[in-house]
Amino acid sequence: MAQRTVLVVLFDDVQSLDVTGPMEVFAGAEKHTPGAYRVRTASLTGRPLRTSSGLTVVPDGTLADAPAPHTLLVPGGQGTRRPDAHLIDWVRAHGPGAERLVSVCTGAILLAEAGLLDGRRATTHWAYCESFARDHPAVRVEADPIYVRDGHVATSAGVTCGIDLALALVEDDLGRDAALAVARHLVVFLRRPGNQAQFSAQLAAQTARREPLRDVQQWITEHPGADLSVDALAARARLSPRHFARAFRAETGATPGRYVDRVRLEHARRLLEDTPDGVEEISRASGYGTPEAMRRAFVKALGTSPAEYRRRFRTAPAR
């Protein structure tokens, strides 16, 4: 088996977990399968640098002297806001030579600045997706997934999502058993589907300013199996359906239907992960009505079936 060199690009104000999270995954895989990976770090100068959290990191060397990588990994952090032009030039020159090009969080901005994401699907931290899409119209930005893979290029969302992506890459390289061993050692799941949403329904939507709408949001969360049609929710808020739908979207940033979909999906996921309840029971409790309706929702949102989701993530034995 050929050893794969993983080169992690460092720069001032890099996000430390964007660096150490994936590095721990690849280092763990190397311990599990000796000879699988050679992990190296490099910066423009090779001198010690400070991460955005204040941690001092010493690169293995300079980018000019770095070995040709199999996997070139570009982390994110505050340092991507005003990137060094020489760093962009290096990524532009050497990125195409890597067999696998990877970014974590706002590291995607550096890849985009280098022109390496033009025409490709990509993601980044949810807080920067809108500006990322605006500044780089040639990139097809996907705001929801925790990571996106387009050919040999893979981009992940914020911070801990780099661990999910690194585990997926290890599974590709060495198989599920190796990736599972690393995940167990790090006490993380193997593995969240790449197109799983970056955050929960409650975090995805803003909290409504007006009390009737906030009460409706809470009701939806606590009663996902109830009648959550616009008419029923509008009656609870004592508003007309049209006024309710318009006000709900204006104050939360999501339509009532979209918010309900997110809450029901999240509720079903938790039941699949934490309970032995059957799929039919969970589909009713989550408001889907039938297992087939829930399956369609899972495939559309997560790219996987409820049964496969449970197999990956359950914490209690399924009945």
Side-chain angles (χ1 to χ4, degrees), residues 91-114:
V91 172
R92 182 182 297 113
H94 294 84
E99 291 189 39
R100 196 158 57 194
L101 192 57
V102 178
S103 70
V104 180
C105 196
T106 54
I109 294 174
L110 301 185
L111 296 186
E113 289 286 337

Side-chain angles (χ1 to χ4, degrees), residues 124-138:
T124 187
H125 191 291
W126 63 267
Y128 299 99
C129 281
E130 184 175 346
S131 59
F132 184 42
R134 183 182 63 248
D135 295 341
H136 300 282

Side-chain angles (χ1 to χ4, degrees), residues 1-317:
M1 180 181 62
Q3 188 178 56
R4 298 171 175 85
T5 297
V6 179
L7 179 63
V8 183
V9 176
L10 300 182
F11 46 86
D12 284 319
D13 280 334
V14 69
Q15 162 66 251
S16 56
L17 195 54
D18 288 1
V19 175
T20 58
M23 284 185 69
E24 289 289 351
V25 171
F26 289 116
E30 166 63 20
K31 291 177 183 177
H32 180 273
T33 308
Y37 295 106
R38 178 187 182 211
V39 184
R40 292 291 181 269
T41 59
S43 68
L44 285 172
T45 66
R47 293 194 294 268
L49 52 86
R50 287 176 67 83
T51 70
S52 56
S53 63
L55 179 70
T56 298
V57 177
V58 182
D60 290 321
T62 66
L63 288 170
D65 296 329
H70 169 278
T71 299
L72 180 62
L73 191 150
V74 181
Q78 293 296 322
T80 64
R81 308 298 184 271
R82 294 178 296 279
D84 188 310
H86 296 295
L87 180 61
I88 299 298
D89 289 342
W90 187 94
V91 172
R92 182 182 297 113
H94 294 84
E99 291 189 39
R100 196 158 57 194
L101 192 57
V102 178
S103 70
V104 180
C105 196
T106 54
I109 294 174
L110 301 185
L111 296 186
E113 289 286 337
L116 301 180
L117 296 183
D118 288 356
R120 293 188 180 276
R121 297 164 48 245
T123 193
T124 187
H125 191 291
W126 63 267
Y128 299 99
C129 281
E130 184 175 346
S131 59
F132 184 42
R134 183 182 63 248
D135 295 341
H136 300 282
V139 182
R140 290 178 284 165
V141 179
E142 299 186 7
D144 283 339
I146 60 173
Y147 61 80
V148 170
R149 303 173 72 173
D150 188 333
H152 75 292
V153 179
T155 55
S156 76
V159 196
T160 59
C161 297
I163 296 175
D164 294 287
L165 176 54
L167 285 168
L169 299 178
V170 168
E171 186 172 353
D172 283 352
D173 295 341
L174 307 179
R176 181 178 175 80
D177 289 346
L180 181 58
V182 175
R184 285 173 173 164
H185 179 72
L186 297 178
V187 198
V188 296
F189 285 123
L190 176 72
R191 57 186 164 82
R192 291 190 290 172
N195 53 356
Q196 182 169 322
Q198 292 191 33
F199 38 70
S200 70
Q202 287 74 22
L203 289 177
Q206 306 165 36
T207 300
R209 295 188 300 274
R210 284 183 282 177
E211 187 173 344
L213 296 180
R214 288 200 305 271
D215 291 344
V216 167
Q217 282 184 287
Q218 187 65 29
W219 168 263
I220 293 171
T221 302
E222 294 175 352
H223 302 86
D227 177 4
L228 300 180
S229 64
V230 170
D231 287 349
L233 297 176
R236 180 166 291 276
R238 294 188 174 89
L239 298 171
S240 71
R242 176 180 291 185
H243 185 191
F244 168 77
R246 185 169 58 248
F248 190 94
R249 182 168 189 172
E251 295 200 17
T252 69
T255 66
R258 178 62 171 155
Y259 188 77
V260 167
D261 287 345
R262 287 171 173 167
V263 167
R264 283 178 167 162
L265 184 69
E266 188 172 326
H267 186 259
R269 281 170 38 206
R270 285 200 301 268
L271 294 180
L272 288 168
E273 293 170 9
D274 300 335
T275 77
D277 296 345
V279 171
E280 186 169 353
E281 185 179 354
I282 291 174
S283 67
R284 289 196 304 269
S286 302
Y288 290 111
T290 67
E292 176 58 24
M294 186 168 80
R295 188 194 70 81
R296 288 197 301 268
F298 267 66
V299 170
K300 180 180 179 181
L302 303 178
T304 190
S305 68
E308 174 63 13
Y309 185 90
R310 165 167 270 171
R311 186 183 71 80
R312 292 181 182 179
F313 305 116
R314 70 174 183 239
T315 56

